[in-house]
Amino acid sequence: VQLVESGGGSVQSGGSLRLSCTASGYTYRRYHMGWFRQAPGKEREGVASIISDGSTTYADSVKGRFTISQDNAKNTLYLQMNSLKSEDTAMYYCAAGSWRWGSIKNMRPSDFPYWGQGTQVTVSS
């Protein structure tokens, strides 16, 4: 299983970025897909997740600003990030796994055995 992220970068507050994560080596729809982020000195936290039927869930801090989506034909996961804030600055990771679907607060990194290398998002105010 290989996950490769792209699309990070530096942007001013209020700007937008779209992250991509291309999966290979397994049947894409087999796993739940998630985006996590980790800021310096902080724990890795769940940002958004999507399952094979297209259902999504988000952290409260990004709800209404971020959109997770996937293109099953391309085995690619996306995270559209709008109205970015300085507190969104972090390393962003995509991950594949299986977790007890529900509140994003219950989405633990340990539920995801497969991870991308991460892509840095920096938002300047």
Side-chain angles (χ1 to χ4, degrees):
V1 175
Q2 187 175 18
L3 302 174
V4 180
E5 298 114 335
S6 61
S10 296
V11 64
Q12 290 193 331
S13 180
S16 298
L17 286 172
R18 188 175 82 154
L19 307 183
S20 300
C21 171
T22 301
S24 61
Y26 72 104
T27 302
Y28 179 74
R29 294 168 62 91
R30 177 178 178 182
Y31 295 113
H32 300 165
M33 299 299 295
W35 286 100
F36 290 80
R37 66 185 181 187
Q38 188 167 19
K42 295 188 176 182
E43 291 186 354
R44 192 167 297 190
E45 64 173 354
V47 174
S49 185
I50 189 167
I51 56 176
S52 58
D53 68 359
S55 297
T56 60
T57 187
Y58 297 91
D60 288 344
S61 59
V62 307
K63 205 171 292 183
R65 300 188 298 122
F66 290 12
T67 302
I68 188 172
S69 63
Q70 58 190 0
D71 185 332
N72 292 325
K74 296 182 178 180
N75 289 354
T76 300
L77 176 73
Y78 302 100
L79 185 68
Q80 177 67 45
M81 304 184 295
N82 298 328
S83 302
L84 282 161
K85 305 176 181 180
S86 56
E87 51 262 44
D88 295 318
T89 294
M91 185 72 78
Y92 283 72
Y93 300 89
C94 69
S98 181
W99 66 285
R100 187 175 180 179
W101 186 257
S103 168
I104 203 78
K105 297 177 183 178
N106 295 328
M107 189 172 82
R108 304 169 300 179
S110 58
D111 292 325
F112 290 77
Y114 305 110
W115 292 83
Q117 81 283 2
T119 186
Q120 178 68 38
V121 171
T122 303
V123 184
S124 57
S125 55

